Amino acid sequence: MNKRGRGVLDELEKSLSLTQRHMEPSRMTLYRFGNTSSSSLWNELAYTEAKGRIKKHDRIWQIGFGSGFKCNSAVWRALKTINPAMEKNPWTDEIDKFPVEVPQVATIVY
């Protein structure tokens, strides 16, 4: 999921009834790389591959949000099981350090 910040991720998780495991690649990409706009989608896919979570015939749903009313999505089908030991991607060198615990943001009451 391409995100525009943590609040958007929180709302998507709640609205789409997603699990923390579904959201982990997005949250860890935001944590490690910041908001990198559309390239975040590929870093999130790379995270999932580095974790060894892509199996043959799996479907992966990527959602990207832009400014205004822009929203795009794609569904990919894995043609093979990804072996993380055989892949080189932006997460390969540090994947064992993730996920990290990211504290919840408290609401400011005025």
Side-chain angles (χ1 to χ4, degrees):
M1 251 180 244
N2 171 310
K3 62 273 172 224
R4 294 289 179 210
R6 185 180 182 149
V8 173
L9 291 179
D10 292 344
E11 287 303 314
L12 285 169
E13 181 178 2
K14 186 171 62 176
S15 297
L16 298 175
S17 300
L18 300 172
T19 66
Q20 288 184 355
R21 184 174 169 97
H22 290 130
M23 299 302 295
E24 183 181 311
S26 296
R27 293 187 187 284
M28 293 304 100
T29 297
L30 182 61
Y31 173 83
R32 185 170 183 213
F33 299 107
N35 184 355
T36 57
S37 191
S38 59
S39 65
S40 297
L41 290 170
W42 304 111
N43 288 327
E44 293 160 13
L45 181 60
Y47 180 92
T48 307
E49 290 176 342
K51 283 290 188 181
R53 296 179 183 167
I54 306 288
K55 308 294 184 220
K56 186 175 183 175
H57 301 298
D58 281 354
R59 288 178 293 166
I60 297 93
W61 183 24
Q62 290 183 313
I63 309 169
F65 298 94
S67 59
F69 294 105
K70 290 185 279 186
C71 176
N72 293 294
S73 69
V75 177
W76 301 90
R77 184 169 171 242
L79 300 177
K80 65 178 185 175
T81 296
I82 301 297
N83 179 351
M86 304 299 290
E87 300 295 321
K88 181 71 176 155
N89 73 42
W91 291 95
T92 305
D93 59 339
E94 296 184 15
I95 196 62
D96 294 332
K97 298 176 184 174
F98 291 90
V100 297
E101 182 65 32
V102 179
Q104 293 292 320
V105 177
T107 303
I108 298 174
V109 179
Y110 294 97

